[in-house]
Amino acid sequence: MTHERLSRWRSLAGILATAVLLGLYALGGLAWILGFVALVPWLLVLNTDRTTPRALANAALMSVAFVAAVFYWFGAAIGAYTGVGASTATVVLLVFAPLVQPQFIAFALVRQWAGRRYGPVLRALAATCAWVACEWLVAKPLGDTLGHGVFPSAVLRQVADLGGAAGITALLLLVNEAIAFAIVEYRGRGADRSMRVLLRPLALAIGIVACMAGYGAVRRAALQAPALADAPTLRVAMVQANITDYERLRKKIGAYGVVRQVLDTHYALSWSAIRDHQADVLLWSETVYPTTFGHPRSEDGAALDREIQGFVDTAGVPLVFGTYDRDAQGEYNAAAFLEPGKGLLGVYRKTYPFPLTEHVPRWLDGPRLRSVLPWTGTWSPGDGARVLPLRSADGREVNVVPLICLDDVHPDLAIDGARLGAQAIVGISNDSWFTAYPVGARLHLAVAAFRSIETRLPQVRVTTNGFSAIIDDTGEVLANTAIGDQAVLTAFVSARDPSPTLMVRWGDWVGRAGAVFLLGLAALAAWQSLRRRAATAPQVEAVITVVMLTPPWRAVIGALRLCAGAGLLWLAFDMLTRTGLQIQSLSQLWLFAAAVLAPAVAAWVIERAFVAQARVEGSLLVLDQRRRRIELPLASIDALRPWRIPLPGSGVDVRLSAGPWWTWSLASTRPRALQRLLASTGTPVRLEGGVANGLADLAQNRADARRRRFDHPLVKFGLFALLLALIAFRLHQIIAFGGVFGEYYSYGLGAYLTGLLIWWASWSIGLMLFAAVLRIAIETVVMLAIALRTAHAAAVRDAMEWLGRLAFYLGVPAWLAMRLLAAG
């Protein structure tokens, strides 16, 4: 077996070992301890990856293996819910695993990058920051992170009030890195192996775990101390009716029959809660009333609304239940708060509807999507956390923050609720799609419990058919129902205001801190690279490309360049003042072609005709063109004068020793390189020009900057503009014509392609204008650096170029995304 093949098998074995360990870790129980070692086999694999493509491939495979080992049930559950089948949904999930679990790729790539530049400590810190920053930036369907697996440890999970589950994830990653480093060091010593090489990394790992345990023990003991008994306390009864699959029931007994059965079951269980448990408040689960409360669609709906309010009035206790709400903007998954004798106190609208099954962004929605995915939902997202009171008949009151299903996998809502004065969390969920996969419902319960640890707010959580639960402020599940039970669970909730935790004060800060650390590390690496470049003496180039121009031809090319610039400015002015930053007709495209493209292309063609390669041969300056060769004795050159007016670009005039200027001027993006080439021969060549010297320095500085492939105009104004245009054009088609291909169906292929061309040209021109603004800003800053005679002008140039790239390639899509979100 070859070394390469053996290496591949070892890599696969390491990935498989980590996947198995993570699969066991996800089962809970005592397996939580595996979280501190599960990644070690994969880390050892990454240590052997010497190339970025190899690290990327192993990270992608790891994400697939992780999904297969930990979320094997999720594909089957989605397949059952959507009707596409478990096998199809699982295959789709595995194919998209690198997108669903992108933190593996971010971790591996940053680890590879940092490992080439820094030691193992910074490598581990950078990779850990990449993991948590990626999970903060990219929302995952279930909000999962490695830290959730520590939930069975009542002591260690208390650390979450400092940094949330993401903070625990970071600590787990660091411990795994320390153990992997110890193994590598031990193996690398060969015959000199000693247990002493293990002490430092293992001491670090043990120290992290010990600090977590120490903090958790102290925090847990403080929270379990007896509390004051005079705080108002409510008995909250959670009604789990165990009625699922509304669609199947609707086909069997009709829509009204379903609502009737659901309400009658909940009424009966609620009366039992009031009679047997002396309930002060009733909680029903998510979407238990599957229509809009307060906005009836029919007389039957209005009668049912009155019936629910009548039940509350008769029972004399407030009711919180899942329903729908609507306004002029759309329909929402909601929780309604009803009070006896007062009616509707308020409504909370679910902030995070489940992607596709509950909510489809407007830019993605359309008849074609719904024909392919008929199960997609129509709800709109709510507008954030809201705190509402639960009030008993005798005036006892507890302020609560309601969370609906997926809301509780996002820390921000519970944190915002705590900041708004919430004293408890009320969770309502419909986990019926986990009926055949209780591991999913168990994970959801564990993730929800972290919200109580982070905020130190107790939680009551009711579901349709399990697991309904009572959770205290340490995250302990004091009691819970089972999957498939029809039951009433009663909790005591008190009006106590906990001291704000670090998570409440700072928010979900770990991911943001990781992103800031990475930016700082990248800036440090860039600065170090630039310092090394600045310390390197400029190299003398053997051949320099120039354009040989007589004064008339220079004037012609300069006029063409000015014409193109003026045409672009006129088009920009027209767009700003008349058409609103958008090309609206083919006539504007023809104007762009005639006034901008044509003169720019003509100037380029003329320059290509006069291009030459300048080099020194013996005592001659040789200028080679395609059909002629010009030789100029070096002794006859007295001085170079940079052009005072940089048109058609930067360049120099050549003064001869006899006194007159040479007939030909030399246009070059590297005027200083030409001077260094002549000076390297020992020929004393003066540089005239004063202010023009600064322009020459600016041109040389710009030419010396390293250009990337994505700086090419075809990429910037062609491919990138097309990508953005396709997104915007799709949204335009949906809004204006009711579907992605609406204009095609209405007016034909010609009209559709013309419309796309107009959108593409509009984005291309807009990006040209934006790039021009960025270029002016970059050149201004660099010119100031050159004028101040700073030794770091090259570093300033590179820093500004990268800022410009970020503004161009990230800023524009971010602006477009905000526009799309604002549109729907």
Side-chain angles (χ1 to χ4, degrees):
M1 183 179 291
T2 64
H3 176 75
E4 179 65 23
R5 182 173 296 180
L6 180 62
S7 176
R8 289 178 181 176
W9 279 111
R10 286 177 177 173
S11 297
L12 291 175
I15 291 171
L16 180 61
T18 287
V20 171
L21 290 173
L22 288 174
L24 295 172
Y25 172 64
L27 295 178
L30 294 177
W32 62 264
I33 197 170
L34 294 177
F36 293 102
V37 297
L39 291 175
V40 171
W42 182 52
L43 295 178
L44 296 177
V45 170
L46 291 179
N47 286 340
T48 64
D49 293 337
R50 302 303 180 189
T51 64
T52 299
R54 184 76 176 269
L56 179 62
N58 281 337
L61 284 176
M62 187 67 252
S63 66
V64 173
F66 173 77
V67 170
V70 177
F71 291 104
Y72 59 90
W73 52 270
F74 187 57
I78 288 291
Y81 180 85
T82 60
V84 301
S87 300
T88 301
T90 300
V91 169
V92 171
L93 182 64
L94 292 177
V95 169
F96 287 97
L99 299 179
V100 177
Q101 301 291 339
Q103 71 276 8
F104 288 100
I105 293 176
F107 178 88
L109 292 180
V110 171
R111 192 176 189 271
Q112 178 93 351
W113 170 81
R116 293 173 177 171
R117 291 164 174 80
Y118 308 105
V121 175
L122 272 181
R123 181 185 68 182
L125 286 173
T128 297
C129 288
W131 184 297
V132 295
C134 182
E135 291 189 325
W136 168 64
L137 286 169
V138 183
K140 295 195 281 185
L142 298 179
D144 59 279
T145 187
L146 280 180
H148 290 142
V150 179
F151 177 72
S153 172
V155 173
L156 297 188
R157 69 182 181 221
Q158 304 307 320
V159 179
D161 71 352
L162 297 178
I168 297 178
T169 295
L171 296 174
L172 290 175
L173 291 170
L174 291 175
V175 172
N176 276 272
E177 284 277 16
I179 295 173
F181 179 72
I183 294 173
V184 170
E185 285 291 290
Y186 185 72
R187 289 176 176 175
R189 293 302 177 99
D192 297 330
R193 287 177 180 172
S194 168
M195 294 302 294
R196 294 179 60 185
V197 303
L198 302 177
L199 291 181
R200 292 178 65 182
L202 292 184
L204 175 63
I206 294 170
I208 291 174
V209 178
C211 289
M212 293 175 67
Y215 176 84
V218 172
R219 196 75 172 96
R220 188 164 179 255
L223 291 167
Q224 290 179 335
L228 298 176
D230 58 350
T233 300
L234 298 176
R235 288 187 181 92
V236 180
M238 292 160 276
V239 176
Q240 180 175 302
N242 194 35
I243 300 176
T244 62
D245 201 350
Y246 284 10
E247 191 60 34
R248 179 182 60 81
L249 289 174
R250 185 178 287 112
K251 292 178 181 178
K252 184 177 180 180
I253 61 177
Y256 183 82
V258 173
V259 177
R260 183 75 274 156
Q261 179 179 335
V262 169
L263 290 180
D264 289 344
T265 304
H266 280 81
Y267 291 153
L269 291 172
S270 297
W271 282 118
S272 172
I274 296 170
R275 181 180 62 251
D276 302 330
H277 301 269
Q278 293 77 50
D280 298 312
V281 179
L282 295 171
L283 296 185
W284 296 355
S285 63
E286 178 189 13
T287 60
V288 67
Y289 184 53
T291 187
T292 51
F293 183 86
H295 304 280
R297 303 178 188 276
S298 64
E299 278 301 320
D300 286 340
L304 290 172
D305 288 359
R306 293 191 295 269
E307 180 183 306
I308 295 174
Q309 182 62 56
F311 164 75
V312 172
D313 294 340
T314 303
V317 296
L319 169 66
V320 180
F321 67 101
T323 182
Y324 306 167
D325 190 28
R326 65 172 175 169
D327 58 18
Q329 304 303 315
E331 191 167 284
Y332 309 85
N333 187 344
F337 284 63
L338 294 185
E339 289 194 333
K342 298 180 181 178
L344 184 63
L345 172 67
V347 173
Y348 165 71
R349 296 168 172 174
K350 185 176 182 179
T351 303
Y352 295 104
F354 204 87
L356 296 182
T357 59
E358 292 185 332
H359 170 67
V360 180
R362 185 177 297 177
W363 61 269
L364 181 63
D365 203 357
R368 185 177 181 84
L369 176 72
R370 295 193 177 274
S371 66
V372 176
L373 306 176
W375 41 264
T376 48
T378 58
W379 281 325
S380 298
D383 51 6
R386 187 176 184 188
V387 172
L388 294 163
L390 298 178
R391 283 193 286 256
S392 66
D394 59 5
R396 285 169 291 147
E397 183 175 311
V398 177
N399 294 321
V400 300
V401 53
L403 303 177
I404 301 177
C405 193
L406 200 62
D407 286 343
D408 58 25
V409 308
H410 298 273
D412 58 310
L413 290 176
I415 290 170
D416 289 344
R419 292 170 175 172
L420 292 171
Q423 297 160 319
I425 298 170
V426 168
I428 66 173
S429 185
N430 182 354
D431 287 350
S432 60
W433 60 305
F434 291 140
T435 300
Y437 313 96
V439 63
R442 193 175 296 112
L443 171 63
H444 194 181
L445 174 61
V447 173
F450 270 92
R451 306 294 84 85
S452 289
I453 304 171
E454 292 159 357
T455 60
R456 297 304 177 187
L457 297 177
Q459 183 175 170
V460 287
R461 182 173 182 271
V462 62
T463 67
T464 303
N465 67 327
F467 299 104
S468 299
I470 305 168
I471 305 170
D472 70 8
D473 54 2
T474 70
E476 189 72 25
V477 179
L478 302 177
N480 65 272
T481 61
I483 293 285
D485 280 355
Q486 188 175 91
V488 173
L489 189 63
T490 303
F492 292 89
V493 180
S494 299
R496 295 190 179 92
D497 297 308
S499 299
T501 65
L502 189 65
M503 280 290 285
V504 172
R505 290 192 179 98
W506 290 7
D508 190 15
W509 62 273
V510 172
R512 294 195 294 269
V516 170
F517 179 86
L518 287 179
L519 289 174
L521 193 62
L524 175 63
W527 183 255
Q528 290 173 339
S529 176
L530 296 174
R531 289 286 299 272
R532 288 192 294 269
R533 285 182 56 193
T536 304
Q539 300 295 316
V540 177
E541 300 177 47
V543 179
I544 299 172
T545 300
V546 298
V547 179
M548 300 176 60
L549 298 174
T550 60
W553 279 117
R554 181 186 169 192
V556 169
I557 298 175
L560 289 171
R561 289 282 171 82
L562 286 175
C563 179
L568 190 61
L569 286 176
W570 167 252
L571 196 58
F573 176 78
D574 184 57
M575 291 169 65
L576 285 170
T577 58
R578 189 172 65 86
T579 61
L581 290 177
Q582 184 173 338
I583 299 293
Q584 294 184 345
S585 67
L586 287 175
S587 62
Q588 291 172 288
L589 294 185
W590 287 117
L591 174 63
F592 174 74
V596 180
L597 284 183
V601 171
W604 179 83
V605 169
I606 295 172
E607 286 182 336
R608 292 307 91 195
F610 293 105
V611 71
Q613 303 298 318
R615 64 178 181 274
V616 173
E617 293 183 2
S619 61
L620 299 174
L621 173 63
V622 177
L623 298 162
D624 270 331
Q625 292 182 313
R626 282 178 295 179
R627 297 183 179 180
R628 64 176 169 175
R629 171 186 174 98
I630 299 175
E631 298 177 349
L632 187 65
L634 293 175
S636 67
I637 301 175
D638 178 58
L640 298 178
R641 183 180 68 182
W643 291 346
R644 291 186 176 89
I645 300 176
L647 278 177
S650 59
V652 295
D653 293 321
V654 180
R655 181 187 291 276
L656 301 178
S657 301
W661 295 100
W662 192 35
T663 307
W664 298 93
S665 296
L666 303 179
S668 174
T669 59
R670 318 178 77 85
R672 290 294 187 187
L674 182 61
Q675 179 197 10
R676 289 195 294 267
L677 175 64
L678 297 177
S680 66
T681 65
T683 303
V685 177
R686 294 184 299 108
L687 198 64
E688 301 178 351
V691 174
N693 287 336
L695 296 177
D697 290 336
L698 180 64
Q700 186 66 49
N701 177 278
R702 181 167 58 248
D704 288 341
R706 185 179 178 185
R707 297 296 167 186
R708 309 280 175 170
R709 291 182 179 178
F710 43 77
D711 290 328
H712 196 283
L714 288 179
V715 176
K716 295 174 68 173
F717 310 125
L719 295 179
F720 187 58
L722 177 61
L723 174 63
L724 298 176
L726 287 173
I727 297 172
F729 180 67
R730 187 183 189 284
L731 179 62
H732 164 72
Q733 289 291 306
I734 292 172
I735 294 175
F737 298 98
V740 178
F741 299 99
E743 190 172 7
Y744 167 70
Y745 294 136
S746 300
Y747 300 104
L749 181 62
Y752 184 82
L753 293 179
T754 299
L756 177 58
L757 177 62
I758 290 175
W759 276 86
W760 187 9
S762 180
W763 274 99
S764 182
I765 295 170
L767 289 176
M768 288 180 191
L769 295 172
F770 183 54
V773 172
L774 292 176
R775 179 54 51 196
I776 292 172
I778 291 170
E779 299 303 324
T780 300
V781 172
V782 175
M783 190 64 187
L784 287 174
I786 292 173
L788 293 173
R789 304 299 185 194
T790 175
H792 303 297
V796 173
R797 158 74 63 184
D798 279 356
M800 291 300 299
E801 292 288 351
W802 274 110
L803 287 175
R805 293 180 186 116
L806 290 174
F808 190 86
Y809 284 107
L810 296 181
V812 174
W815 172 81
L816 177 59
M818 289 188 292
R819 292 289 300 271
L820 292 178
L821 289 174

